[in-house]
Amino acid sequence: TNVSFPPGNVESPPRFTDEVQAKHHYVEIWEIVLSSIVAALIYSLIFLLGAWVYFQRDEKIMRASQPIFLLMILLGVTISVSTVIPLSLDESRGFDDSALDIACMAAPWTWTIGRSIATGALLVKLYRVQRLFDNASKFKQVVITAGFMMRILISLIITCALIMAFW
C-alpha cells in the first residue's frame, strides 16, 4: 500500500528488516569475585571492630563515646556494603525478570538505608559534641541521653526510607 508522506510524496514506507542488536554489558565473573573478596574483607573488619567496641564498652572513654552509636555506624556500613549482592545479579546467570526487578530496587535501598544509618549516627554524635561544647562555654552541665539521640537517628532513617518509598 502507498502512504502519503508530507509534503505530498506518495511512496512505499521504508522497510525495516534489520534487527536491532542489543549490546549487553553483563557483570564479569572476575568483577563478582573481586567485589565479593573486598566485601568479605570489609565484613571481617566490621566484625573485629564490633567485637572491640563490645569488649571495651565498660571503659570510661568508650562509655563517653556511646558504643551503641559506634555499632550503628558499623551496621550502616555493613548494610551499604551488602549492595554488591544485588548489583552482581544479571540475566547471564539465569535470573528471571522478577528476581532482577527486586535486585534492581534492592541496590538503592541497601545503599541509601545503610548510608543513612552510618551518616546519621555520625551526625547525632557530632550534634552531641556540639551541644556539650556550647554548654561548656557557659559553664552549664547538660545531659544528652542515648535515647534522645536515637530518636533523632530514627527520624533521619525514616525520612530517607520515605524518600526511597516515593522514588
Side-chain angles (χ1 to χ4, degrees):
T1 64
N2 287 334
V3 178
S4 179
F5 295 101
N9 285 342
V10 177
E11 54 184 64
S12 295
R15 302 264 184 228
F16 294 105
T17 56
D18 296 335
E19 290 185 22
V20 176
Q21 296 293 324
K23 292 185 179 183
H24 298 286
H25 299 284
Y26 295 124
V27 181
E28 300 290 334
I29 192 70
W30 68 267
E31 295 170 323
I32 295 172
V33 169
L34 181 64
S35 62
S36 298
I37 290 171
V38 170
L41 290 172
I42 293 170
Y43 289 145
S44 300
L45 183 61
I46 288 170
F47 177 77
L48 291 173
L49 289 171
W52 180 78
V53 168
Y54 178 78
F55 290 120
Q56 298 293 320
R57 70 186 183 279
D58 293 329
E59 297 293 323
K60 184 177 181 180
I61 189 77
M62 188 59 72
R63 282 193 319 260
S65 299
Q66 291 184 325
I68 186 70
F69 290 99
L70 297 175
L71 294 173
M72 293 293 286
I73 293 168
L74 294 176
L75 174 68
V77 173
T78 302
I79 294 170
S80 291
V81 170
S82 298
T83 303
V84 300
I85 296 168
L87 289 178
S88 66
L89 307 179
D90 61 26
E91 298 91 353
S92 70
R93 309 264 174 328
F95 293 101
D96 62 352
D97 286 343
S98 64
L100 293 174
D101 288 343
I102 293 168
C104 186
M105 284 309 297
W109 271 91
T110 54
W111 177 255
T112 302
I113 297 301
R115 295 313 307 162
S116 66
I117 292 171
T119 307
L122 285 171
L123 287 174
V124 296
K125 286 178 75 55
L126 284 173
Y127 172 73
R128 179 177 185 252
V129 169
Q130 186 254 337
R131 288 269 316 262
L132 291 173
F133 276 101
D134 283 350
N135 288 306
S137 65
K138 301 172 190 170
F139 297 104
K140 290 174 60 177
Q141 183 178 4
V142 63
V143 176
I144 304 169
T145 64
F148 173 75
M149 293 174 56
M150 192 61 80
R151 284 192 296 272
I152 295 172
L153 178 59
I154 289 171
S155 66
L156 288 171
I157 295 167
I158 289 172
T159 302
C160 287
L162 287 173
I163 291 169
M164 289 300 295
F166 289 114
W167 173 66

